[in-house]
Structure formats: structure tokens, C-alpha cells
Amino acid sequence: MAKIIAGIAASHVPAIGVAVDRGMTGTPYWQPLFKGYEPAREWLAKLAPDVAIIVYNDHANALSLELIPTFLIGVADSFPIADEGFGRRPVPEVRGCAPLAWHLAESLILDEFDMTIANEMPVDHGLTVPLSITCGQPPAWPFRVIPLCVNVVQYPPPTGARCFKLGQAIRRAVEKFDEDLRVVIYGTGGMSHQLQGERAGFINRQFDTAFLDGMTKDPLALTKITHTEYMREAGSEGIEMVMWHVMRGALDEDVAEVYRHYHVPASNTAAAVLVLENRSAP
Ligand SMILES: [Fe+2]
């Protein structure tokens, strides 16, 4: 039987990918951020999962703004790296896990989540930056990946509560898959940031800290945060944090917080990595 053993929340700030790709991670600006990623990287290398489900949002790269699925799952054997206007990131192609992805698609749809199915799809920084943060620069990514996109770009995005329930459905589906696979799930995006308007550069450390605490201790309370509250407390792009709820919903009620790292600023964003392990994990 397949099993979800751990969850990772990670910001996916595009500038973090640029710093990796251009060899700038040791510069005075970036070093404190990247130093903080090392324990998470060591933990993941030791855990050696078979598959990662990466919950992220496409930034109008695979999907134009003419077509906006609320939830989408990638079922291909591989996913090319998107060209986001500056050429492709020099990172390995992403290997998919079609058998588990198709099983998830079927199980989630029968469980009343209307997933869009992507047979072919380039993946952008929303997915590749969390891989860089947690895996470094290997010649090939060390596990297979199932991309799962959530719309947080065009109003209305799904609620945190709906995302949490999707996570619970993902867990039920994974546990019905026959092959013995050890699966991790990523929730990406955030933390507080605003890229536009009068409050551009807005960061709210207090909100972010409470959110990180709540992810471990009381995730259901966090699912009650409304879209308006996200906008007010975490900035106009802080809504990305609903994707963390998908990850959290897929874990045990009682989890162990293995590691957290919070850093301000990464570009104009508050960046974090949070590692949670299922206490029931083998
Ligand atoms: Fe994003």
C-alpha cells in the first residue's frame, strides 16, 4: 500500500530559483536564506521518498488566463520545464508517476473533486523552486513528481477548507493504491507578500508565525481564514497559502514538526520552509 509519510510547505519565490541557477546562494543577501534550507534538505535526502505530490499554482505559463481550472492534476510520465520568458531554468526535467497520478485522478473525481486532467504540461517556478530548495542541484530529481495545480491567480480561488478536504481525499486515494510507495506532499507558495498596488512589499511576520504554528497544532482553525483576511493580513498574493492546506489535510491530525525556517525578505516576499512528519509514518 502507498502511504503519505510527510509534508513540506515551501515558498516558491522565483528569485530563489534565479539565485540557485546563477550560483548566488552564498552571497551576503542570499546566504542566510539558503543556510536555513540545509536541514530540510538533509532530512529529505535521508527520508528518500519514492514520489512527491507537489501542490502549486501555475503562473500563466502552462495555462493561459483564458483557461483556469480550480484543481488540476498532471498524469504524464514527464513534465518539461516551462520557459517563463527568460529561457528554461537549467534544472532536470520532472519525471512523473502516471500510474499513481491516474489512480488519484479517478479516486478524487469519484470522491466528488472535479479535477482537470493534464496529459501534457510544462511546469514553472511554482513547482521547480520548491524542488531546488529541498533537493539542491542534482543531475536528476531524486523522486517522481505528481504536479497538482490550484488556482490562486484569478478570483475566486478555492477556500482553505476546500483545499484541506482535497488533501484528506488525496490521502484516502493514496492509501488505496496497491504499490508500496512512500509519498511526500508539498504545499507551496506564500508566505505574506504583495507584489502590486499601494501596499507592494507588504509583509506580516506576526500573521506568518501564527500560520506556521497553526499548521502544526491547529490546522482546522486556519482553514476558516477567509479570502478577505488573507488579502488584509498576508497581502494580495498571500492567498497562495491556501495550497498549504491541501498538504496539511493529507497528513495525520497529530504531526511532528521536524523543522521550520522563516526568512524576510526573499526578493519582496516572506519565505518559509516547514517540515511535518506523520507520527504514524513507518
Ligand atoms: Fe506564486
Side-chain angles (χ1 to χ4, degrees), residues 21-33:
D21 300 343
R22 296 191 183 164
M24 302 185 315
T25 59
T27 61
Y29 180 83
W30 288 109
Q31 198 266 351
L33 175 70

Side-chain angles (χ1 to χ4, degrees), residues 12 57 59 125 240:
H12 61 219
N57 67 289
H59 302 75
H125 71 269
E240 288 188 340

Side-chain angles (χ1 to χ4, degrees), residues 5-8 39-44 47 216 255-261 273-279:
I5 51 176
I8 302 166
R41 204 173 291 165
E42 283 161 20
W43 165 85
L44 187 60
L47 194 73
T216 307
V255 292
E257 182 176 321
V258 176
Y259 182 67
R260 85 162 71 169
H261 170 55
V273 67
L274 177 70
V275 175
L276 303 175
E277 238 172 36
N278 271 344
R279 292 196 195 272

Side-chain angles (χ1 to χ4, degrees), residues 141-186:
W141 298 120
F143 39 73
R144 289 170 285 163
V145 170
I146 297 176
L148 198 152
C149 298
V150 177
N151 165 41
V152 291
V153 169
Q154 167 76 58
Y155 189 84
T159 62
R162 182 69 174 152
C163 288
F164 191 87
K165 286 177 189 159
L166 175 62
Q168 292 175 313
I170 289 171
R171 179 189 184 136
R172 287 194 291 274
V174 166
E175 291 180 353
K176 280 187 285 176
F177 192 66
D178 276 344
E179 204 183 327
D180 282 333
L181 293 175
R182 297 165 72 249
V183 179
V184 295
I185 181 163
Y186 286 63

Side-chain angles (χ1 to χ4, degrees), residues 224-236:
K224 297 188 176 70
I225 299 172
T226 63
H227 291 143
T228 310
E229 283 175 280
Y230 274 114
M231 287 276 284
R232 191 180 61 227
E233 302 297 330
S236 54

Side-chain angles (χ1 to χ4, degrees), residues 51-54 56 71-80 94-109 115-123 127 144-149 177:
V51 180
I53 298 167
I54 302 189
Y56 77 107
F71 297 123
L72 171 148
I73 184 164
V75 296
D77 286 321
S78 65
F79 300 91
V94 171
R95 287 179 302 136
C97 183
L100 178 57
W102 274 112
H103 167 80
L104 281 173
E106 181 188 22
S107 178
L108 292 174
I109 289 168
M115 307 301 292
T116 296
I117 294 169
N119 287 302
E120 213 175 287
M121 179 176 71
V123 289
L127 182 137
R144 289 170 285 163
V145 170
I146 297 176
L148 198 152
C149 298
F177 192 66

